[in-house]
């Protein structure tokens, strides 16, 4: 049969009595009466079937069994108190659910999230990523960042930046080739992004038309349904990608990608911050929205003037 230990309140009272060697002093410390403490010690001795105290003139003394028990009880209570203090010292973290696409999460949001945590150390961000556009904030999501025209069924939409695109590739792909221009861009292997019906992202046909290039494009043998993988292929030197300025800026700064020309095209579509109509977790949502705006202002990434496709 399992051993049933004495209740914790008896052990705490015993520790005070054994440390102070006085029922009266222990009662004062515990906020109770001397007779109540005396009855607790009698009950503890009965449960353990051993004498813990000797009653002597003007006080009490611990027996050998009492001294042994006191040493272990003090260590145990100290261990428990330490655990309680550690738990109380830790403020529970709030978790903010953020939905966005793979590309924005990988190339824009993730490199900056450390600064959000520095500003809001008690808020954890949980990213929910997909390749689908979000027309409204799902019930299990606190805030969304999505690409499109900013039209949502419910909630508020705030423009972060318009889509601004230009061709990019690995510097190694250009080795031994003539300097790229509008005239020879069509001869380079162009990486394709597979999109569904009604998509709004720039493709090579739309980019060529906007740049005034009449030659038909030469496509690389690789087609992707994920922009993140497409950019990785470009970094690996497997072709030219359509680079979105706000997503590839860091890669250009690192030198793993380069622009083929200064020409760029800006769309009337872009990334929008979608705030839910409901007021659940409004404080966390506002903190995240304010941080996003501060990041854009610091990076001089205010929305560009819109040019229609």
């Amino acid at each position: 049969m399992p051993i049933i230990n004495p209740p914790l309140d008896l052990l705490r009272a015993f520790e005070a009595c054994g440390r102070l060697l006085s029922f009266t002093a222990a009662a004062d410390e515990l906020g109770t009466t001397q007779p109540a403490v005396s009855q607790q010690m009698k009950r503890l001795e009965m449960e353990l079937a051993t004498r813990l105290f000797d009653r002597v003139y003007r006080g009490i003394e611990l027996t050998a069994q009492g001294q042994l028990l006191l040493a272990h009880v003090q260590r145990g209570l100290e261990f428990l108190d330490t655990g309680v203090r550690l738990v109380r010292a830790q403020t529970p973290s709030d978790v903010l659910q953020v939905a966005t696409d793979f590309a924005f999460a990988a190339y824009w949001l993730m490199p900056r999230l450390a600064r959000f945590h520095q500003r809001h150390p008690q808020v954890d961000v949980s990213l929910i990523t997909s390749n689908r556009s979000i027309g409204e904030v799902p019930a299990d999501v606190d805030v969304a960042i999505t690409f499109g025209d900013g039209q949502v069924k419910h909630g508020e939409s705030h423009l972060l930046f318009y889509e601004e695109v230009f061709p990019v590739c690995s510097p190694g792909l250009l080795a031994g080739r003539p300097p790229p221009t509008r005239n020879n861009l069509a001869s380079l292997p162009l990486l394709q992004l597979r999109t569904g019906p009604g998509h709004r992202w720039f493709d090579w046909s739309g980019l060529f038309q906007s740049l005034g290039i009449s030659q038909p494009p030469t496509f690389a043998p690789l087609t992707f349904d994920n922009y993140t993988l497409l950019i990785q292929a470009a970094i690996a030197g497997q072709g030219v990608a359509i680079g979105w300025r706000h997503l590839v800026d860091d890669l250009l700064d690192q030198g793993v990608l380069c622009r083929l020309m200064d020409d760029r095209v800006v769309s009337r579509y872009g990334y929008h911050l979608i705030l839910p109509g409901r007021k659940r977790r409004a404080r966390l949502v506002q903190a995240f929205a304010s941080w996003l705006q501060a990041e854009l202002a610091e990076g001089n990434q205010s929305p560009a003037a819109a040019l229609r496709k």
Side-chain angles (χ1 to χ4, degrees), residues 72-88:
H72 288 278
V73 168
Q74 286 180 328
R75 284 200 293 270
L77 292 177
E78 181 180 356
F79 188 75
L80 290 173
D81 290 342
T82 298
V84 171
R85 286 196 301 271
L86 290 174
V87 170
R88 285 177 173 170

Side-chain angles (χ1 to χ4, degrees), residues 5-16 44 48 69 73 77:
N5 292 319
L8 186 59
D9 60 335
L10 288 187
L11 296 176
R12 285 197 177 275
F14 166 74
E15 190 280 331
L44 182 59
L48 297 178
L69 180 62
V73 168
L77 292 177

Side-chain angles (χ1 to χ4, degrees), residues 18-41:
R19 172 168 42 84
L20 299 172
L21 292 178
S22 169
F23 290 166
T24 301
D28 291 340
E29 182 178 290
L30 297 170
T32 185
T33 64
Q34 188 274 343
V37 170
S38 179
Q39 287 298 318
Q40 284 182 304
M41 294 306 96

Side-chain angles (χ1 to χ4, degrees), residues 135-151:
E136 61 181 325
V137 180
D140 58 342
V141 168
D142 298 307
V143 62
I145 301 171
T146 187
F147 181 80
D149 59 7
Q151 298 298 316

